[in-house]
Amino acid sequence: MGLFDDEFYSTKVSKRTGNLPNRIRVSRKRWWPKTVKNTESSTFSTIQVAVISSVISAIVSVTLFAWIVYPGDTQMAFAGQSSYASGGTDSYETQIMQAGDKVRPAVVSIVSHKDVEGSKISDSALGSGVIFKIEGKKAYIMTNHHVVDRGENLEAVTVDGVSKEAELIGKDRISDIAVLSIDSSGINTAVELGDSTKLRRGQTVLAIGNPLGLGGTMTRGIVSYIDRQIPVSINQDGVYDWEQSVIQTDAAINEGNSGGALVDLEGNLVGINTMKIADTGVEGLGFAIPTHDVMTIVDDLMVDGKVSRPYLGVYTVDLTSPYAPLDKEQREEMKLPDSVEEGVIVLESSGPADEAGLKMNDVIVEFDGKKIKSTLDLRKHLYEKKKIGEELKIKFYRDGKLTEVSTKLTDKPNE
């Protein structure tokens, strides 16, 4: 129920008088003679004249004051106000156009061809990339790992439509970043790096890339959130085993935008577009990896072709995984105590884990005294708390007994 019974409000006075209180339902003839009408009209006209005169007097006074205090600048002052009122939007749009023109030549389309017999061009994966360095005869491109992971023959198409063969320098599945190189002939623009740590919510950003194969497309939005933690499934098996720190934006990001540029109004790169939420009824949820994180990975890939992280050597599944729930019979077979409700089950071990004696159906519950509830916990502890060469203390259940072992972490061997 609103303020009015029919939820509508009209400024027109109703002609109905049936609901008026008796004390104001009176005869017009009895209380207001005809002469009053002329008096009201005359009074209203006088008020109008007074208001208009006051406004004119105010304008004249302000003009005279400005002319006396700032002789010669009066016209400029009024012209400046008019220009500001009408030119603000133009200035904002000019910034957007200039930023787009600055970055667009540095954004390329990436085509990842499948090198299998019978494959078609429609089987190729499309994405975007950003030229970040030109050195000698090589130009270097950053993009997403998932853009280049499906194919062997890589191709970069410049904004001018020139196709160049691309060479993979290195890629990292965890961060979803990859680096490519192409021949630098004809390439004159590399993107300028911005400081993603200085981004603020509400700041205007532009997404430039190759959505659905439409190269050079630019969309506009704002920074919706600065440091959003998004769970991801690295192995694409539906189990969240990592968290990606991303910039959330409502700039339109579609399939093919992955690996493209997210830039500020200065035309500086602040992120690499990586994903969007595409569920029914969801709009304006796109994500980009901030340049502060990207460049750390890119530097490692440029030097070593990979990112070195501590390696334990276990393939695991969560004890509470909804996709592979552990039933009562399996728990009894493993002799797992009822009190153990969280942890990770070892399915396969190699490297340091194998050397420590871990084997199938062991249930890991602690690293260095810290509880390990899931594969996500396991990865975060290894990658954020440990270094290659350090010792790791592991507690796990085997045949119902809690056991502790130690092992030295190594670098992950090349895939």
Side-chain angles (χ1 to χ4, degrees):
M1 174 67 70
L3 295 175
F4 304 93
D5 290 342
D6 58 0
E7 292 292 318
F8 290 95
Y9 171 67
S10 174
T11 56
K12 295 181 180 180
V13 179
S14 174
K15 295 181 179 180
R16 292 176 296 176
T17 58
N19 294 329
L20 293 176
N22 290 331
R23 64 176 180 272
I24 64 172
R25 195 183 302 151
V26 294
S27 170
R28 183 182 177 94
K29 287 185 177 180
R30 180 176 178 181
W31 296 102
W32 290 276
K34 294 182 179 180
T35 56
V36 175
K37 181 176 181 181
N38 294 330
T39 302
E40 286 180 342
S41 176
S42 176
T43 302
F44 183 72
S45 299
T46 301
I47 293 173
Q48 283 184 317
V49 171
V51 170
I52 294 172
S53 299
S54 300
V55 172
I56 293 174
S57 298
I59 294 174
V60 171
S61 299
V62 171
T63 304
L64 287 174
F65 177 79
W67 182 77
I68 293 171
V69 177
Y70 305 104
D73 293 341
T74 308
Q75 183 177 358
M76 185 179 297
F78 282 99
Q81 292 178 0
S82 175
S83 175
Y84 178 83
S86 62
T89 302
D90 292 340
S91 177
Y92 176 62
E93 291 177 349
T94 299
Q95 280 187 287
I96 292 174
M97 291 185 288
Q98 289 176 341
D101 291 342
K102 176 182 176 181
V103 178
R104 189 166 170 264
V107 179
V108 298
S109 301
I110 302 295
V111 185
S112 179
H113 300 283
K114 289 186 176 180
D115 191 14
V116 294
E117 186 176 352
S119 62
K120 304 176 182 177
I121 187 66
S122 58
D123 297 327
S124 301
L126 297 176
S128 306
V130 183
I131 300 171
F132 68 94
K133 183 178 182 180
I134 303 174
E135 188 175 67
K137 296 182 179 181
K138 295 286 185 180
Y140 296 92
I141 301 168
M142 63 177 86
T143 185
N144 286 141
H145 175 280
H146 72 261
V147 169
V148 302
D149 191 41
R150 304 180 197 176
E152 290 77 20
N153 296 327
L154 302 174
E155 176 185 0
V157 183
T158 68
V159 70
D160 298 324
V162 178
S163 177
K164 292 176 176 286
E165 182 179 348
E167 178 186 355
L168 180 66
I169 301 298
K171 58 182 180 179
D172 181 58
R173 184 184 299 274
I174 303 296
S175 64
D176 196 25
I177 295 295
V179 173
L180 313 175
S181 69
I182 57 174
D183 174 25
S184 64
S185 60
I187 295 178
N188 304 307
T189 303
V191 73
E192 291 187 17
L193 299 177
D195 189 350
S196 60
T197 64
K198 294 182 178 179
L199 285 175
R200 296 293 179 265
R201 276 180 288 182
Q203 184 174 338
T204 298
V205 286
L206 310 174
I208 304 176
N210 179 36
L212 305 179
L214 304 174
T217 296
M218 179 173 74
T219 56
R220 180 189 67 183
I222 64 169
V223 174
S224 306
Y225 202 88
I226 298 168
D227 187 19
R228 182 73 72 191
Q229 300 297 316
I230 298 295
V232 295
S233 175
I234 294 176
N235 298 322
Q236 300 294 309
D237 57 2
V239 177
Y240 296 132
D241 46 16
W242 188 243
E243 284 183 338
Q244 185 75 272
S245 177
V246 293
I247 302 164
Q248 180 182 329
T249 177
D250 66 349
I253 295 175
N254 293 289
E255 184 177 353
N257 267 121
S258 292
L262 187 74
V263 301
D264 59 21
L265 285 184
E266 299 297 323
N268 297 327
L269 185 75
V270 293
I272 294 295
N273 300 320
T274 185
M275 68 181 101
K276 67 172 290 186
I277 303 298
D279 292 342
T280 303
V282 177
E283 294 182 6
L285 284 177
F287 303 99
I289 307 171
T291 51
H292 179 73
D293 297 336
V294 170
M295 295 314 298
T296 301
I297 303 299
V298 166
D299 289 343
D300 286 344
L301 294 178
M302 290 285 286
V303 174
D304 299 323
K306 67 174 185 176
V307 177
S308 297
R309 295 187 178 91
Y311 175 68
L312 176 59
V314 288
Y315 182 66
T316 63
V317 62
D318 293 355
L319 190 60
T320 56
S321 171
Y323 301 100
L326 202 64
D327 58 30
K328 185 177 180 180
E329 184 178 340
Q330 289 172 318
R331 289 184 69 98
E332 290 177 352
E333 184 179 342
M334 295 169 60
K335 299 179 181 178
L336 191 64
D338 293 337
S339 60
V340 181
E341 297 179 348
E342 295 175 315
V344 293
I345 306 171
V346 176
L347 302 180
E348 184 180 334
S349 66
S350 60
D354 184 49
E355 293 176 7
L358 288 173
K359 61 182 183 180
M360 183 177 178
N361 286 341
D362 287 344
V363 180
I364 298 172
V365 293
E366 280 188 20
F367 278 171
D368 298 327
K370 181 181 178 181
K371 291 187 180 300
I372 299 298
K373 301 178 181 180
S374 64
T375 301
L376 175 58
D377 287 346
L378 183 149
R379 287 184 187 273
K380 289 178 75 68
H381 187 87
L382 287 177
Y383 299 162
E384 297 178 359
K385 305 294 183 183
K386 308 299 290 185
K387 295 180 180 179
I388 296 172
E390 289 185 341
E391 187 177 79
L392 177 70
K393 294 180 180 180
I394 308 168
K395 282 187 179 181
F396 62 94
Y397 280 91
R398 177 185 294 170
D399 297 328
K401 296 180 180 180
L402 184 62
T403 305
E404 182 174 349
V405 296
S406 295
T407 188
K408 183 175 289 187
L409 300 171
T410 65
D411 188 8
K412 184 177 182 180
N414 294 328
E415 296 179 351

